Amino acid sequence: MTDVAGVAFRRVGLPEVSLHVAEAGPESGPPTILLHGFPEFWYGWRHQIGPLSEAGLRLVVPDQRGYGLSDKPQGVAAYHLDTLAADVIALAEAYGFATIRLVGHDWGGLVAWWTASHYPDRIARLAILNAPHPGVVGSYIRRHPGQWLRSSYVGLFQLPVLPERLLTAGRCRALRHALTSSSRPGAFAPSDLDRYIEAWLQPGAMTGMLNWYRALAQLPRTEPPRVRVPTLILWGKQDTALQPGLAEASLDLCDDGRIAWYPQATHWLAHEEPAAVNTALRDFLA
């Protein structure tokens, strides 16, 4: 997996897991960690890595635990948001980064929100792509039944074994369809999907990926911590899974935040409108 220009790979040992990490950009540049979502891996940032590294950012782009070539610990508890956020800080410490710029999409965005909320002194800037703050999801769904319908697949993912079988059958036919049917035409080329299939079929990967959803049910219903760091939310309004109101509810938790809307983009805006997304991220992060 070395066909993204300027990318090097390394294995980084953390206290609990070992992560497969893609790296790019000058070592002296502002440290920036990019967190992918479900069901992607580091390759989900393929359109951003070149432009952001050329802008001078030092990029660290992991396969998060349970994904791709990274470790896949057993048990739902290993995928609690507190643990996933701790991975981000441990990864920064492994590189010697005192503070980082943090970017997350989808599940990576939930982790980024959680990390910035609980480790504000370690985060210089936060950028989120189509991902709500975990602390607002429950109350928002209770007020907006339409979002509950959009999120109903999460209930299926709570079941043991069956979701893994459904999602890996036929070379992951269901996941391939989920990506292509929820995105604009051309967002995922056949060659891209081949890369995803390879990652999804890694031993233990599908269970690890689904355990992120299973662990979300363990979050306590407490008042979410505010986000004190400068925050940019990028949101594709045609997202079939997440209503735009989730972006606004998340912004309400930010002391210093703003939203950039992409009216024609879906959940996969980084793939659909890479030039606009890259410009927004570069201007905010560099």
Side-chain angles (χ1 to χ4, degrees), residues 105-106 129-132 146-147 150-151 153 181-184 234-247 261-269 272:
H105 170 248
D106 184 79
L129 285 71
N130 279 68
Q147 181 59 53
R150 294 191 189 198
S151 304
Y153 67 93
S181 65
S182 63
S183 61
R184 297 202 312 231
L234 309 181
W235 203 276
K237 280 196 166 183
Q238 303 305 312
D239 193 322
T240 59
L242 300 171
Q243 292 181 345
L246 283 165
W261 298 107
Y262 295 78
Q264 303 306 316
T266 74
H267 185 72
W268 310 104
L269 72 165
E272 296 167 344

Side-chain angles (χ1 to χ4, degrees), residues 115-203:
T115 306
S117 296
H118 290 84
Y119 303 91
D121 295 339
R122 304 299 300 272
I123 311 301
R125 287 179 173 265
L126 175 69
I128 301 291
L129 285 71
N130 279 68
H133 191 297
V136 308
V137 174
S139 60
Y140 184 90
I141 289 176
R142 289 190 290 275
R143 297 194 312 272
H144 300 84
Q147 181 59 53
W148 182 87
L149 292 173
R150 294 191 189 198
S151 304
S152 58
Y153 67 93
V154 176
L156 171 64
F157 288 175
Q158 303 303 313
L159 299 175
V161 182
L162 178 62
E164 282 89 332
R165 291 179 177 174
L166 291 175
L167 295 182
T168 55
R171 295 185 72 242
C172 307
R173 183 188 305 109
L175 272 184
R176 284 185 279 131
H177 176 72
L179 289 182
T180 56
S181 65
S182 63
S183 61
R184 297 202 312 231
F188 295 95
S191 58
D192 295 328
L193 294 175
D194 287 340
R195 301 285 289 274
Y196 285 105
I197 293 166
E198 181 183 354
W200 296 335
L201 294 180
Q202 292 293 317

